[in-house]
């Protein structure tokens, strides 16, 4: 069963949810580790296109390259 992740900004959608730091590096890491199906307790892969589009739209302050990531 294939599914699609949805960003729930208002935290009002029914069902189980998972927290993601709003950074593309964190999203990439979660996808590589297959963290979403485990966190949401669903079988099979989940599509992340909508979540990726949402994370890309979030304005971010400039970050120093020497600053470590927060994933």
């Amino acid at each position: 069963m294939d599914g699609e992740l949805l960003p729930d900004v208002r935290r009002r959608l029914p069902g189980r949810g998972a927290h993601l730091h709003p950074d593309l590096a964190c999203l990439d890491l979660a996808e590589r580790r297959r963290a979403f199906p485990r966190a949401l307790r669903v079988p099979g892969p989940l599509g992340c296109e909508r979540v990726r589009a949402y994370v890309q739209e979030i304005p971010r302050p400039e970050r120093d390259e020497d600053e470590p990531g927060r994933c």
Side-chain angles (χ1 to χ4, degrees):
M1 176 180 180
D2 289 337
E4 176 72 24
L5 293 174
L6 298 173
D8 186 10
V9 180
R10 295 178 49 213
R11 300 178 184 152
R12 299 286 184 251
L13 293 175
R16 198 169 171 83
H19 176 78
L20 173 70
H21 186 258
D23 188 310
L24 287 174
C26 296
L27 176 59
D28 291 338
L29 183 62
E31 284 184 293
R32 278 195 315 271
R33 292 182 175 178
R34 297 182 180 103
F36 294 120
R38 277 196 321 269
L40 301 172
R41 298 181 186 166
V42 296
L46 295 170
C48 297
E49 289 79 23
R50 291 182 184 176
V51 173
R52 182 173 299 282
Y54 173 76
V55 170
Q56 287 175 334
E57 291 177 6
I58 298 172
R60 281 181 229 334
E62 291 298 319
R63 196 171 93 176
D64 186 11
E65 290 299 321
D66 295 331
E67 183 181 330
R70 293 180 24 183
C71 292

